[in-house]
Amino acid sequence: MLGAFGTRRSTALYLAAWALLGVLLAGLMVAAGGAPWSASLPFAVPLALAYGCASGFSAYYLCRAYPLATRSLGTVLGVFTCSAVCAGALWAAAGNGFAESLRPLVPGLPPMTRPFVALMFGLGVILYGLTAVAHYLALEFERARSLERRELEMKIAAQEAELRMLRTQIDPHFLFNSLNSISALTSIDPAAARGMTLQLSNFLRRSLGMDAQRKVALDEEIVLVRAFLAIEQVRFGARLRFEHLIGEGAGQCLLPPMLLQPLVENAVKHGIGNRLDGGTVSIAAERAGALLRIRVENDADWDDASQPAAGCGIGLANVRQRLLATYAHAASVHWTRHDARFRVDIALPAESEPEKEK
């Protein structure tokens, strides 16, 4: 079924409206002809329901055949005027025939006088026109919803494509730096280079197995960060230290996969790697109401020209773009230097999987 009969709810509402019109028609018969309600209702209500179904289907298909966007107003008015007149005449004739067949079964049903037949004809024309207007409104509403849904689907598709692009940007960048580290170790410590290669293989197997579109828990992200730092620790040894403090409820909060990895990579490359005595990379996270706050810090030299400038660098730019694509303006990322430490602060909506909620 189409039009007003597209769903059970719309069908029920449509038929209820026409049943009410039948009751009003019965009231006119009682007021004008003095017919009792017991005779008027069995005549008027079924007749109104039958006309509602017939005019509903007819008007719906005509509205589809003559859309307002592509047809001239004169053509539409002409088609529906002729259709309304024909429908009104058929309804008046059907009413007259129905009354004659019903009269032996329903005592008190008055004869169909010419004024009443003319009244039925006029009501039929008006009701057909109102039905057509209602169908045009419904079709326009349906078209607007379809366009809105299509626009939303296109927006989601564009967002997913952007997230995939940003995710694929991380992997070559990390792999390039890791291979450089392995290359540097091959001439210094071949055994360490082999160990780093195996750890890199395990890390890539774990990271590539993560769905770029599925958010992961912060605890899972920390495990990945530890695996990355284990790779780098083959080269840096005791010079590279790692600390993390995850507040209650923060570990179960969800975030885009490998969001922290480029920040930790920058901390090692631009911070720890440029200090003779190394330093510490620390991650702190806490859930503050509806927000998850994450801080990534590392020791850094203030006079080191290799430190990333404001808003520059693949790591910071990638994190900012991924947060914008995923959360729009509900998330933020800021960086600063404080007490010989380079600090990145991230705030994003605190989301948790239902089964992990406490």
Side-chain angles (χ1 to χ4, degrees):
M1 293 263 181
L2 300 174
F5 303 93
T7 63
R8 291 182 178 180
R9 183 178 179 181
S10 60
T11 300
L13 291 174
Y14 184 77
L15 293 179
W18 277 97
L20 180 60
L21 289 173
V23 173
L24 294 177
L25 180 61
L28 288 177
M29 294 178 64
V30 172
W37 282 99
S38 60
S40 301
L41 287 176
F43 167 76
V45 173
L47 190 65
L49 290 174
Y51 186 64
C53 293
S55 63
F57 278 107
S58 172
Y60 173 77
Y61 284 109
L62 282 178
C63 289
R64 294 294 299 268
Y66 293 89
L68 295 176
T70 58
R71 302 282 185 162
S72 65
L73 182 60
T75 302
V76 172
L77 289 177
V79 168
F80 278 96
T81 298
C82 294
S83 299
V85 169
C86 293
L90 290 173
W91 190 42
N96 190 24
F98 183 57
E100 293 300 324
S101 63
L102 194 63
R103 188 169 286 108
L105 303 176
V106 180
L109 186 64
M112 298 291 290
T113 61
R114 287 186 177 181
F116 187 76
V117 173
L119 177 63
M120 285 192 61
F121 170 76
L123 284 176
V125 172
I126 294 173
L127 291 174
Y128 189 92
L130 292 176
T131 303
V133 171
H135 276 95
Y136 269 127
L137 291 176
L139 288 173
E140 285 300 312
F141 179 73
E142 181 183 348
R143 186 178 68 87
R145 286 188 60 185
S146 177
L147 290 176
E148 183 180 355
R149 183 169 55 251
R150 192 178 309 163
E151 182 180 357
L152 181 61
E153 291 173 352
M154 293 176 61
K155 183 178 179 181
I156 293 175
Q159 184 185 79
E160 291 179 350
E162 182 178 4
L163 288 174
R164 283 194 298 269
M165 179 196 70
L166 293 172
R167 171 66 188 274
T168 55
Q169 186 186 52
I170 294 176
D171 298 331
H173 185 245
F174 161 70
L175 185 60
F176 175 77
N177 290 336
S178 298
L179 291 177
N180 276 345
S181 299
I182 294 174
S183 175
L185 280 175
T186 52
S187 58
I188 302 174
D189 190 347
R194 286 194 297 271
M196 189 174 183
T197 303
L198 291 175
Q199 289 181 320
L200 175 61
S201 174
N202 293 330
F203 174 83
L204 290 178
R205 185 181 299 110
R206 180 192 296 267
S207 63
L208 294 177
M210 300 172 66
D211 186 356
Q213 305 306 316
R214 182 183 68 85
K215 295 177 183 177
V216 299
L218 177 60
D219 285 338
E220 188 176 348
E221 185 79 357
I222 295 297
V223 170
L224 201 64
V225 167
R226 293 179 67 92
F228 164 74
L229 291 176
I231 297 172
E232 293 294 338
Q233 208 154 27
V234 174
R235 180 160 59 102
F236 288 97
R239 293 175 56 211
L240 175 59
R241 297 174 294 277
F242 176 61
E243 299 175 350
H244 66 282
L245 179 62
I246 309 301
E248 183 178 359
Q252 291 74 42
C253 292
L254 303 177
L255 69 162
M258 295 187 71
L259 183 71
L260 302 183
Q261 188 269 330
L263 299 180
V264 175
E265 183 181 346
N266 277 351
V268 174
K269 179 180 179 181
H270 298 292
I272 310 304
N274 295 318
R275 292 169 55 91
L276 293 177
D277 55 348
T280 302
V281 178
S282 62
I283 298 178
E286 63 174 355
R287 182 169 184 172
L291 288 178
L292 173 64
R293 300 186 181 276
I294 304 173
R295 173 171 293 175
V296 180
E297 287 186 282
N298 64 275
D299 293 309
D301 291 330
W302 292 114
D303 56 351
D304 186 3
S306 66
Q307 289 292 323
C312 298
I314 292 179
L316 288 172
N318 189 286
V319 170
R320 181 180 293 112
Q321 292 176 38
R322 292 185 72 193
L323 289 174
L324 182 62
T326 305
Y327 303 104
H329 298 290
S332 63
V333 55
H334 302 284
W335 69 272
T336 185
R337 293 175 176 177
H338 182 70
D339 293 339
R341 302 270 291 174
F342 187 81
R343 175 187 301 170
V344 179
D345 289 302
I346 299 175
L348 64 155
E351 303 173 352
S352 299
E353 294 181 1
E355 62 272 15
K356 294 184 179 180
E357 290 280 7
K358 292 185 177 181

